[in-house]
Amino acid sequence: MATNTWSGGTDNWNDAANWTTTGTTDRVPITGDDVVINTGGATVTMDVNIASGETCESLGSLTITAGTLTTSGSNYTLTVTGATSITGTLTCNNSTVSLGHNVDNAWSVTL
């Protein structure tokens, strides 16, 4: 899959204009994509479920080096099958979060 890097300001996850996607037309992350959020001061509001049966069933990996990823104020599911690295902020609210679901040979979450 592709790497999707946040390029927008503080805004909605579900807007393709906020993403820069390697190897293809810029788009919202889809199943298996690696997601990078590295925009200081940005708050990325995830207002979609990323779980089995949804449009995006899971992310390949998640890296937050600057800024914040928040799952909004509602119950949104976030599933990452690979590694997650957080030096920015991940705010889960009332959401179900599964990180490193398929990682078996390394740490699934690094801070």
Side-chain angles (χ1 to χ4, degrees):
M1 291 287 142
T3 298
N4 283 48
T5 302
W6 183 258
S7 57
T10 296
D11 210 341
N12 185 319
W13 170 285
N14 219 18
D15 183 350
N18 292 326
W19 296 99
T20 300
T21 308
T22 58
T24 187
T25 303
D26 294 345
R27 58 173 166 70
V28 174
I30 62 171
T31 300
D33 279 357
D34 298 319
V35 170
V36 177
I37 298 170
N38 62 2
T39 304
T43 298
V44 181
T45 303
M46 189 184 83
D47 59 354
V48 294
N49 285 313
I50 298 178
S52 182
E54 301 296 331
T55 302
C56 181
E57 292 184 355
S58 62
L59 301 177
S61 68
L62 174 62
T63 303
I64 306 170
T65 57
T68 299
L69 172 61
T70 182
T71 60
S72 187
S74 299
N75 183 15
Y76 291 103
T77 300
L78 171 62
T79 301
V80 180
T81 57
T84 300
S85 175
I86 304 169
T87 53
T89 303
L90 173 62
T91 304
C92 300
N93 296 301
N94 291 326
S95 299
T96 302
V97 177
S98 175
L99 304 174
H101 180 71
N102 289 335
V103 175
D104 59 3
N105 61 350
W107 296 100
S108 59
V109 178
T110 58
L111 304 173

